[in-house]
Amino acid sequence: MALVLGLLLGWPALAAKNPKHSKKDEVVTISTSLGDIRLILFSDTPLHRANFLKKAASGYYNGTTFHRVIPNFMVQGGDPNSKDADPNNDGQGPAGDPTIPAELAAGHRHDYGAVAAARQADFMNPQRASNSSQFYIVENHQGTHFLDGQYTVFGQVIQGQDILDKIAALPRDGRDRPTTDFRMTMRVEKLKKKKISELYGYKY
């Protein structure tokens, strides 16, 4: 689903900063012109969680687009290349972009609203290591379970699933890229898990 080169060092140190038994959790809000998508990230995929939270909080994703949209399948974004004026490099990722080791053992499924990491195909990437920035969100209401166990699922949309459907309905070209740049911004908010459950109905 994405092109990525290189290796990443130091992921265990990042993951160690994520306490598994905290009474609080981070809610990531992806803001778009069609509305907001809110998601949580799984504690049992600590490398992906730490990476995504760091990028989301730092503004890394602000101005990136959903550059690949396939109705009844998924919406993909997060490539920093999509910030520039050249649509042809969207999805390729910057040269030398690092990867994240796969965290498939957690066993999360590609349910509707699942957040997963894009990666190179198996023949180039037999370890199924993830792209460090590009992600996709499952838009198919029945899920895309043929991908289970092949791509790391590290989060779940807890509000704004209807926005996924609106994104999937955008006009797009032959490469499944929206014909108009559809940009996002992100913010991270730490809340008590009890509050998250009350607000969004998510059960830990």
Side-chain angles (χ1 to χ4, degrees):
M1 282 191 167
L3 296 176
V4 62
L5 298 171
L7 296 173
L8 183 65
L9 302 175
W11 289 111
L14 276 175
K17 296 179 181 178
N18 175 36
K20 288 188 176 181
H21 303 294
S22 172
K23 292 183 179 180
K24 293 186 176 182
D25 199 358
E26 284 86 358
V27 175
V28 179
T29 299
I30 303 175
S31 294
T32 77
S33 60
L34 292 174
D36 291 344
I37 302 165
R38 289 186 173 85
L39 53 93
I40 57 93
L41 306 176
F42 301 137
S43 60
D44 56 0
T45 54
L47 305 181
H48 288 73
R49 174 188 168 92
N51 173 70
F52 194 89
L53 285 175
K54 181 178 180 181
K55 284 181 166 61
S58 71
Y60 180 95
Y61 286 120
N62 294 347
T64 61
T65 72
F66 284 98
H67 65 268
R68 188 172 180 230
V69 172
I70 304 177
N72 297 315
F73 183 29
M74 61 88 208
V75 300
Q76 181 175 334
D79 183 0
N81 284 0
S82 65
K83 294 182 182 183
D84 66 27
D86 180 9
N88 295 312
N89 65 11
D90 292 0
Q92 295 180 14
D97 204 17
T99 58
I100 308 173
E103 293 181 293
L104 302 173
H108 295 295
R109 289 163 50 87
H110 282 74
D111 297 323
Y112 179 40
V115 183
R119 65 171 177 83
Q120 284 183 319
D122 285 1
F123 74 93
M124 298 180 67
N125 175 29
Q127 296 81 17
R128 295 179 171 172
S130 300
N131 187 283
S132 69
S133 62
Q134 293 185 56
F135 63 93
Y136 62 94
I137 307 176
V138 176
E139 187 271 331
N140 189 304
H141 289 219
Q142 283 71 51
T144 57
H145 297 297
F146 65 94
L147 295 177
D148 289 350
Q150 300 181 56
Y151 294 79
T152 298
V153 175
F154 64 95
Q156 177 65 40
V157 172
I158 58 175
Q159 186 184 61
Q161 289 91 337
D162 59 315
I163 307 303
L164 299 176
D165 299 336
K166 292 177 182 179
I167 296 172
L170 293 170
R172 63 195 196 283
D173 63 20
R175 297 185 302 134
D176 294 314
R177 184 185 186 278
T179 53
T180 301
D181 287 346
F182 189 71
R183 301 192 182 278
M184 71 183 86
T185 60
M186 288 194 198
R187 68 180 185 275
V188 179
E189 183 181 12
K190 184 171 251 185
L191 297 172
K192 291 182 178 179
K193 290 180 177 178
K194 182 178 179 181
K195 186 69 172 178
I196 293 172
S197 296
E198 290 173 354
L199 288 173
Y200 307 115
Y202 181 76
K203 295 181 180 180
Y204 285 89

